[in-house]
Amino acid sequence: MMFEKSQEAAAFVRGKIGGLEPRLAIVLGSGLGVVASAVEQAMVIPYTDIPHFPRSTAPGHGGRLIAGLLGGVPVLVMQGRVHFYEGYTPPQVTFPMRVLGRLGIKTVVLTNAAGGINPGYRVGQLVLIADHINFLGFNPAVGPNDERIGVRFYDMTEAYSRGLREIAKTAGAEMGLDLVEGVYLATTGPSYETPAEIRAFRTMGADLVGMSTVPETIIARHEGMRVLGVSCVSNLAAGISPHQLTAEEVFETGKMVEGQMAELLKRLAAKMV
Ligand code: HPA
């Protein structure tokens, strides 16, 4: 069923983007939506037009698919994503990754805003995701396996491509950015964490905490795509930050760094395909 629905959505998108054949897709996280304006010859498709596609209800998430050229490379940009905390099921949250798979996307860049757990991080820093900890309590690949897509049991040793991380570091260095790597831990949200949870997550080996990305990575890997994850440290995590956490802080930091993120993604695109 999921396969047919994702085929239907992919056929619709293909019909809208003419002859463009993107192999690279980018998902924009909270407060990072303006990155989409770096896309040239943009064709915009609202999620509400795409069959079976979930709609973003979270503030700061646009809800549009943008096709065009980034750094001269054909791309699909998802401006906005959906989260489990919005009430969507894990298969709904990851449906866009299925559609990207049907469209022939081979590489996906997942961006997000995250809380910084690593005491060495500063607000506004961009961090490459080296690995993740799934603390969501579910795995979106649960359910009947469709052998047309991938195998039942699949490896996650290098869920976030080492090669893509190296390319990202090179692109970052060209801009004077020292891109470090960190481990991203996903919670369902929507409440932020308690200081005790953050201390526990730090002990577990997490550098970053957020409410997205992990389900998408799990399904992108099932689809055989290479994944690059880029977090913007939008705030210091609970108990590390001297003040209480608000979504406004997350968006404001996003706005501060979205120019930098756009430049990084443009340089990356040119190097990635
Ligand atoms: N916790 C969880 N998710 C987040 C945070 C945080 O501190 N910042 C941005 N997304």
Side-chain angles (χ1 to χ4, degrees):
M1 231 1 230
M2 174 275 295
F3 188 83
E4 286 72 23
K5 283 183 176 171
S6 57
Q7 264 182 328
E8 213 181 301
F12 177 86
V13 171
R14 226 181 256 115
K16 290 279 178 194
I17 66 177
L20 197 76
E21 287 190 3
R23 292 289 169 263
L24 170 66
I26 298 168
V27 180
L28 301 177
S30 303
L32 300 167
V34 160
V35 174
S37 54
V39 176
E40 288 159 358
Q41 298 171 36
M43 292 169 274
V44 177
I45 311 169
Y47 291 167
T48 48
D49 286 359
I50 308 173
H52 315 293
F53 222 73
R55 306 153 187 227
S56 323
T57 68
H61 283 262
R64 316 185 306 164
L65 186 66
I66 294 134
L69 299 177
L70 186 66
V73 175
V75 290
L76 278 181
V77 176
M78 282 181 55
Q79 189 183 32
R81 56 153 64 88
V82 302
H83 308 77
F84 183 69
Y85 64 69
E86 293 172 71
Y88 289 106
T89 64
Q92 285 175 319
V93 169
T94 51
F95 182 75
M97 295 300 115
R98 298 299 188 189
V99 177
L100 296 182
R102 302 288 80 66
L103 284 167
I105 296 292
K106 300 294 178 211
T107 305
V108 64
V109 181
L110 303 173
T111 70
N112 61 52
I117 298 178
N118 187 315
Y121 290 172
R122 53 169 183 78
V123 169
Q125 185 174 353
L126 300 184
V127 177
L128 302 175
I129 302 179
D131 204 346
H132 75 218
I133 297 172
N134 180 3
F135 204 74
L136 294 164
F138 66 82
N139 186 306
V142 165
N145 187 57
D146 196 323
E147 297 288 332
R148 286 171 291 185
I149 301 174
V151 293
R152 171 82 291 186
F153 302 105
Y154 56 103
D155 186 73
M156 291 288 279
T157 309
E158 198 182 312
Y160 300 85
S161 159
R162 183 174 293 281
L164 291 179
R165 274 179 271 150
E166 292 311 319
I167 294 171
K169 282 177 201 171
T170 307
E174 289 174 3
M175 305 165 50
L177 285 182
D178 181 22
L179 294 176
V180 299
E181 298 188 355
V183 172
Y184 178 98
L185 181 144
T187 72
T188 66
S191 57
Y192 291 120
E193 301 70 35
T194 63
E197 285 166 345
I198 294 300
R199 285 193 298 273
F201 295 164
R202 188 168 156 186
T203 306
M204 288 164 68
D207 298 300
L208 300 154
V209 60
M211 305 174 192
S212 68
T213 305
V214 164
E216 289 151 314
T217 298
I218 293 171
I219 295 306
R221 293 304 295 150
H222 189 246
E223 292 280 345
M225 292 183 240
R226 295 188 303 170
V227 178
L228 177 71
V230 186
S231 287
C232 156
V233 179
S234 57
N235 57 281
L236 301 180
I240 300 173
S241 175
H243 51 261
Q244 296 194 359
L245 272 49
T246 63
E248 286 67 38
E249 181 183 7
V250 173
F251 297 139
E252 274 162 28
T253 310
K255 286 204 184 71
M256 256 167 51
V257 304
E258 62 190 349
Q260 211 170 53
M261 183 70 97
E263 179 65 25
L264 179 67
L265 294 174
K266 197 167 164 178
R267 286 174 185 272
L268 264 171
K271 291 180 195 295
M272 255 157 59
V273 278

